[in-house]
Amino acid sequence: MKIVVIGHGMVGHKFLESLQEAMPQGAHVSVLCEEPRPAYDRVHLSEFFSGKSADELSLVEPGFFDRGNVVLQLNARATAIDRAAKTVTVGSGETLSYDKLVIATGSYPFVPPVPGKDRPDCFVYRTIEDLEAMLECGARSKSGVVIGGGLLGLECAKALRDMKLQTHVVEFSPRLMALQVDAAGGAMLRRKIEDLGVQVHTQKNTVQIVDGEQARHRLVFADGTHLETDMLVFSAGIRPRDELARQAGLTLGPRGGIEIDDHCLTSDPDIYAVGECALWNGQIFGLVAPGYDMARVAARHLAGESAQFKGADMSTKLKLMGVDVASVGDAMGATAGSRSFQFSDERKQVYKKIVVSECGKKLLGAVLVGDANEYGTLQQMMLNGIDLPESPEFLILPQSDGKAKPGLGPDALPASAQICSCNNVSKGQICEAVGNGVTAIGELKSCTKAGTSCGGCVPLVTQIMKVEMKKRGLAVNNHLCEHFAYSRQELFHMIKVEGIRSFDDLLSRHGKGLGCHICKPVAASIFASCWNDFILNQDHARLQDSNDYFLGNIQKDGTYSVVPRMPGGEVTPDGLMAVAQVAKKYGLYTKITGGQRVDLFGARVEQLPSIWEELIAAGFESGHAYGKSLRTVKSCVGSTWCRYGVGDSVGLAVELENRYKGLRAPHKIKFGVSGCTRECAEAQGKDVGVIATDKGWNLYVCGNGGMKPRHAELLASDLSKEQLIAYIDRFLMFYVRTADRLQRTSVWRENLEGGLDYLKEVIVEDKLGLAAELEAEMQHVVDTYACEWKTAVTNPEVRKRFRQFVNSDQPDHHVIFVEERGQIRPAAPEERAAAARDLADQPA
């Protein structure tokens, strides 16, 4: 059988992968790709601007086309289909015959018919070639405009902003992402996008593009206003690539798109269409997951199996310019009789809405902007018709009483629930795999393909696997790695009880093999938590990851950041001058961090000891910005200066930071201390938060910002300073003892059986009788503290480690900076390439 595939994008390649699993005997596949490279990941295309290469974006596994039965032709555009002769003509003049034909031509960017749209430096955002042209233009531009405020338009805006252009988004409709979010959600999204430095212009109809006075182009709008820009990118939607089907006489929809049935067959029984070129039930699907589903259906049907495409869930969850946005089901509440619950927090810029049925029992849709943590729960409730809790509003309302949000456990999902939409894997398939003996997530991925594409479903997949294992009486494997058949908590107790102080000793007693990148840093962290030895001593240095090995955060260009500790954010003028002198001497980029201290970027590895020698001489210590340890204690000015303050927040913050600055933990820890309930230090978003009251101090725990923000919970109220420190000692050491590897306090708390009530019993009421022991362990850490950098710079053997090359003292000449706003920054890929060309052109 001869099979010809026209198009080798994401969906075309998914068809090939699916066909490999059920390839008809003797089949030969010819693939025509009009681009100069095989299929690549268009979903993450914007990562090309942040340094990801075309090879890294590729979706083709090495050796995929070496099997002989699938042949790929690049730069090969199909120009005609002859259905009678069953041939496809290529632009080169070659003719390919087929028994079965698959059209996977995708879509093309829609460019509004605006006079001036073809001017130089006007682009579309579709291929790597488009992005390369945009990079070239961006290097000689100051401003950029994206026409289109949808998903792809905002991705493109991020790319322009990353190119350091003054960025604008022009949208015809009244709001951004008009198809996914409602008016209130769009308004919140707009505020967040504008706060990131992108100017948004809605309800703007561009009528012509002409020469600008201050820039290359001027966009003239129907309302008489205008906007000038050096660079213009159209991202105003897509249209199906159906011209070949039209020429061949296949049935198309009234507005385009190749009509297909449930088997993805066109009006010709020997021709399939999949992806964005296909029209099913009058609908074009512009997301990759439905395209993947079509590809699987077409491959299975072509191989003689029974397979049908029944539409797709168009729910989406993405991070646009760092902003979480999600849309589920009937997000606009178009269903008759539907009702909605809405929550809006303008201070934190979070908007959430759920749409429920008239009876109040079923979820129809949802919109989430600024925080999309509930997306997985809401999507599964909607897809599987699961009954809502009695008070559905609490699905999206923040929790402040310590109780868990109403959620959705794996047991509530039916076997038919689709867990991995990219690869169409159901809960039943995962459970079946466990029944067949699969007990590891890697093995489960291999046999079901769940979680192998975007990866967003991996946490739920793992949860379902473990629940099913427990049901079947199997031991749930909590092994740290292949070298240790124990959890981090179990290893901690072994090291503590047996007094183990070296990795070799630990390995010989309780492990096997040589260790790996997982167990070595975990062991190093536990040794530091228990014994507080220098982390770069002869045994421990080889266990550390890159950041701890060089006592600095490695940046994307291979340089390091230097962060001297400024307890509570307090620093003297002499201290500031010392930091400034170091930054100026070594040509470092300086920035105030979110934790109220100064970060110095751009230090080469061989410069680090000298830099720290000068900072230590000026009275500074390591800020541990590189470690899984206490980072900062953020504070307001408190009662010392503020007329509202009721407690000395600065004094307490300094004391707390100096007490806990040497503590190594499973993950980084951040504190906040506010001098009154106005909360200027944002203590309720920290791992440990302290707020002054007229009766003492309130202690909050287990909050954090980051990818999954969590509000801290009140552990104890109106405490004296002595009580407060005792409770913090206990809390931190209990966390260090019991948390998993790389587990933040927020995640640890959510997984803690008994929740906040149990934590109160352990920390406040001393239910386990551990209080004195935990406090003593913390006091040992406090008493044995030593600045890591001071030890490093005074030890000649340790100093030898800080060099770029083993056999040379030369610096790395590939580190290239450019000047921006009076400071350095890492050169972008095109700037690095230009510098390399200049270097090559210099005479030897």
Side-chain angles (χ1 to χ4, degrees):
M1 179 187 293
K2 294 180 181 179
I3 303 168
V4 174
V5 180
I6 302 177
H8 190 234
M10 296 181 72
V11 174
H13 189 66
K14 176 59 71 174
F15 171 81
L16 298 178
E17 290 180 331
S18 303
L19 192 63
Q20 286 285 0
E21 299 171 7
M23 181 75 79
Q25 188 69 29
H28 183 275
V29 185
S30 298
V31 186
L32 301 176
C33 176
E34 68 179 14
E35 292 192 50
R37 54 178 56 85
Y40 52 88
D41 188 352
R42 294 187 198 273
V43 173
H44 297 99
L45 194 59
S46 60
E47 294 178 19
F48 184 80
F49 288 103
S50 56
K52 200 163 189 177
S53 68
D55 287 342
E56 289 172 319
L57 287 168
S58 175
L59 295 174
V60 182
E61 293 182 5
F64 184 86
F65 290 108
D66 296 341
R67 302 166 191 175
N69 59 343
V70 181
V71 177
L72 172 67
Q73 296 185 40
L74 300 176
N75 294 305
R77 182 175 183 177
T79 58
I81 299 171
D82 187 332
R83 291 167 56 197
K86 301 185 78 169
T87 60
V88 176
T89 303
V90 189
S92 62
E94 180 185 6
T95 299
L96 300 177
S97 61
Y98 67 83
D99 297 306
K100 298 291 181 181
L101 176 65
V102 180
I103 303 176
T105 47
S107 62
Y108 66 89
F110 170 67
V111 178
V114 179
K117 63 182 175 61
D118 297 321
R119 291 167 56 89
D121 297 331
C122 293
F123 305 93
V124 293
Y125 189 73
R126 183 67 176 173
T127 68
I128 288 179
E129 285 68 38
D130 294 331
L131 271 58
E132 289 174 336
M134 288 169 61
L135 277 173
E136 185 279 327
C137 179
R140 51 185 171 81
S141 300
K142 294 181 179 179
S143 57
V145 167
V146 179
I147 293 185
L151 299 176
L152 197 59
L154 294 181
E155 279 287 332
C156 182
K158 179 185 184 302
L160 298 188
R161 194 193 61 169
D162 288 347
M163 292 164 66
K164 312 301 181 185
L165 301 182
Q166 181 183 350
T167 304
H168 302 257
V169 173
V170 173
E171 169 58 38
F172 179 78
S173 72
R175 64 179 182 273
L176 298 173
M177 288 183 64
L179 297 178
Q180 288 82 23
V181 301
D182 61 4
M188 188 70 75
L189 177 60
R190 176 174 184 157
R191 283 195 289 272
K192 292 182 77 72
I193 296 296
E194 289 184 327
D195 285 348
L196 293 170
V198 175
Q199 297 184 49
V200 177
H201 311 265
T202 52
Q203 292 184 289
K204 293 294 184 182
N205 179 18
T206 307
V207 293
Q208 63 175 331
I209 305 166
V210 297
D211 287 340
E213 295 180 3
Q214 306 297 324
R216 296 186 198 116
H217 310 293
R218 171 178 286 192
L219 280 70
V220 180
F221 302 127
D223 61 7
T225 61
H226 65 266
L227 175 65
E228 295 200 351
T229 182
D230 291 322
M231 180 176 174
L232 179 61
V233 185
F234 292 98
S235 184
I238 59 171
R239 298 292 185 269
R241 287 279 305 272
D242 56 12
E243 63 273 17
L244 280 173
R246 188 182 304 275
Q247 167 267 320
L250 295 175
T251 302
L252 305 181
R255 301 180 63 184
I258 309 168
E259 286 194 357
I260 60 171
D261 63 13
D262 291 353
H263 304 301
C264 298
L265 280 171
T266 66
S267 53
D268 185 319
D270 292 320
I271 301 179
Y272 296 83
V274 294
E276 292 173 338
C277 65
L279 181 77
W280 178 85
N281 255 13
Q283 187 175 5
I284 297 284
F285 295 91
L287 299 177
V288 70
Y292 279 2
D293 200 14
M294 290 182 191
R296 285 187 290 266
V297 167
R300 289 175 58 195
H301 188 265
L302 191 152
E305 300 179 24
S306 175
Q308 290 187 322
F309 179 73
K310 291 296 185 182
D313 171 36
M314 295 299 285
S315 300
T316 55
K317 176 180 179 289
L318 0 89
K319 189 177 284 288
L320 297 166
M321 302 178 69
V323 180
D324 282 327
V325 183
S327 174
V328 175
D330 181 13
M332 306 302 172
T335 304
S338 63
R339 296 176 291 170
S340 67
F341 298 85
Q342 300 178 36
F343 166 73
S344 180
D345 183 338
E346 294 192 356
R347 181 175 67 91
K348 294 184 177 179
Q349 294 189 326
V350 170
Y351 171 77
K352 301 181 181 184
K353 180 181 82 169
I354 56 173
V355 179
V356 304
S357 60
E358 188 172 11
C359 65
K361 293 293 185 182
K362 304 295 180 183
L363 183 74
L364 302 178
V367 175
L368 306 169
V369 176
D371 175 11
N373 285 337
E374 298 87 359
Y375 173 78
T377 294
L378 297 176
Q379 184 192 31
Q380 291 298 334
M381 282 184 161
M382 183 273 296
L383 287 176
N384 297 290
I386 296 170
D387 284 346
L388 290 168
E390 184 176 351
S391 300
E393 63 271 22
F394 286 105
L395 288 167
I396 56 172
L397 288 176
Q399 305 295 296
S400 59
D401 57 1
K403 296 179 180 178
K405 275 192 176 188
L408 187 64
D411 280 342
L413 296 173
S416 60
Q418 187 186 62
I419 306 302
C420 176
S421 58
C422 290
N423 296 294
N424 192 31
V425 182
S426 68
K427 175 190 170 184
Q429 289 171 284
I430 295 171
C431 294
E432 182 182 355
V434 173
N436 291 332
V438 175
T439 57
I441 187 64
E443 191 180 356
L444 187 69
K445 284 183 176 182
S446 297
C447 70
T448 67
K449 303 300 182 185
T452 58
S453 293
C454 76
C457 63
V458 170
L460 183 56
V461 170
T462 305
Q463 196 177 5
I464 291 170
M465 181 188 75
K466 289 185 175 181
V467 168
E468 187 64 20
M469 286 170 64
K470 285 183 179 179
K471 282 183 181 179
R472 295 175 181 269
L474 301 172
V476 176
N477 186 335
N478 62 352
H479 298 177
L480 185 66
C481 66
E482 62 184 283
H483 304 105
F484 289 97
Y486 305 99
S487 67
R488 181 199 171 275
Q489 182 178 351
E490 290 167 335
L491 277 185
F492 182 96
H493 287 295
M494 291 172 182
I495 290 171
K496 187 73 174 177
V497 171
E498 299 176 30
I500 300 173
R501 301 185 79 111
S502 76
F503 185 71
D504 289 342
D505 191 11
L506 178 65
L507 201 58
S508 65
R509 294 196 200 187
H510 302 292
K512 61 181 181 180
L514 300 175
C516 65
H517 68 287
I518 295 175
C519 60
K520 287 180 178 179
V522 169
S525 173
I526 295 174
F527 291 143
S529 298
C530 290
W531 318 124
N532 215 19
D533 294 334
F534 180 47
I535 68 167
L536 295 184
N537 68 25
Q538 190 170 2
D539 179 71
H540 294 173
R542 63 192 176 94
L543 308 178
Q544 309 296 346
D545 61 18
S546 297
N547 284 354
D548 278 319
Y549 189 85
F550 292 110
L551 302 181
N553 269 340
I554 188 169
Q555 305 301 321
K556 68 178 186 178
D557 64 339
T559 61
Y560 292 81
S561 62
V562 173
V563 187
R565 188 171 294 284
M566 296 178 179
E570 187 177 74
V571 61
T572 66
D574 285 341
L576 281 176
M577 286 191 287
V579 171
Q581 287 167 354
V582 167
K584 190 170 184 178
K585 177 178 178 179
Y586 292 93
L588 306 178
Y589 170 88
T590 58
K591 186 183 186 302
I592 305 298
T593 73
Q596 299 179 328
R597 52 190 187 180
V598 180
D599 206 341
L600 310 176
F601 288 85
R604 298 194 306 271
V605 66
E606 76 277 3
Q607 296 175 318
L608 290 173
S610 300
I611 290 171
W612 273 106
E613 211 161 32
E614 295 186 33
L615 290 172
I616 289 166
F620 289 103
E621 295 179 321
S622 169
H624 287 91
Y626 49 83
K628 299 295 183 281
S629 53
L630 175 68
R631 295 292 177 86
T632 61
V633 180
K634 187 174 182 178
S635 73
C636 62
V637 295
S639 59
T640 310
W641 294 95
C642 179
R643 59 196 175 103
Y644 298 112
V646 294
D648 179 12
S649 56
V650 179
L652 180 61
V654 171
E655 185 174 347
L656 293 177
E657 187 157 349
N658 282 326
R659 180 171 181 79
Y660 302 114
K661 60 189 176 185
L663 179 67
R664 289 279 171 162
H667 212 298
K668 63 185 176 185
I669 305 168
K670 297 182 179 182
F671 281 36
V673 182
S674 288
C676 72
T677 54
R678 283 174 173 78
E679 251 286 68
C680 292
E682 301 167 337
Q684 293 178 79
K686 301 290 190 288
D687 298 277
V688 175
V690 181
I691 301 176
T693 71
D694 54 3
K695 297 179 182 178
W697 301 96
N698 287 353
L699 174 60
Y700 293 81
V701 295
C702 301
N704 72 266
M707 293 179 65
K708 292 187 176 180
R710 187 181 193 276
H711 205 274
E713 298 168 328
L714 181 64
L715 186 70
S717 304
D718 303 328
L719 303 173
S720 66
K721 188 168 75 172
E722 292 72 23
Q723 287 177 306
L724 175 72
I725 291 175
Y727 289 171
I728 295 175
D729 282 359
R730 299 174 193 177
F731 167 75
L732 290 175
M733 291 313 299
F734 188 58
Y735 161 64
V736 168
R737 279 188 175 196
T738 59
D740 286 337
R741 165 182 171 265
L742 299 179
Q743 190 174 50
R744 290 293 299 267
T745 61
S746 56
V747 182
W748 170 70
R749 154 65 186 89
E750 288 172 355
N751 292 337
L752 200 63
E753 290 190 25
L756 183 65
D757 291 339
Y758 174 69
L759 202 54
K760 287 180 178 178
E761 290 173 349
V762 173
I763 305 304
V764 179
E765 301 166 20
D766 194 19
K767 177 181 179 180
L768 302 180
L770 293 174
E773 187 178 335
L774 295 173
E775 290 174 31
E777 288 176 354
M778 181 61 76
Q779 193 60 48
H780 169 74
V781 173
V782 174
D783 293 342
T784 56
Y785 169 78
C787 173
E788 291 169 355
W789 262 114
K790 186 173 183 179
T791 305
V793 299
T794 55
N795 185 320
E797 289 303 312
V798 174
R799 285 191 74 138
K800 289 179 182 178
R801 178 177 294 113
F802 294 91
R803 56 197 299 181
Q804 184 65 42
F805 303 105
V806 174
N807 59 350
S808 171
D809 291 327
Q810 290 296 311
D812 184 357
H813 295 295
H814 292 93
V815 173
I816 300 172
F817 300 114
V818 296
E819 186 175 316
E820 183 170 273
R821 297 189 297 277
Q823 297 204 79
I824 62 166
R825 67 164 171 82
E830 70 278 6
E831 294 166 328
R832 291 170 60 86
R837 287 194 298 270
D838 292 342
L839 187 63
D841 291 339
Q842 292 178 4

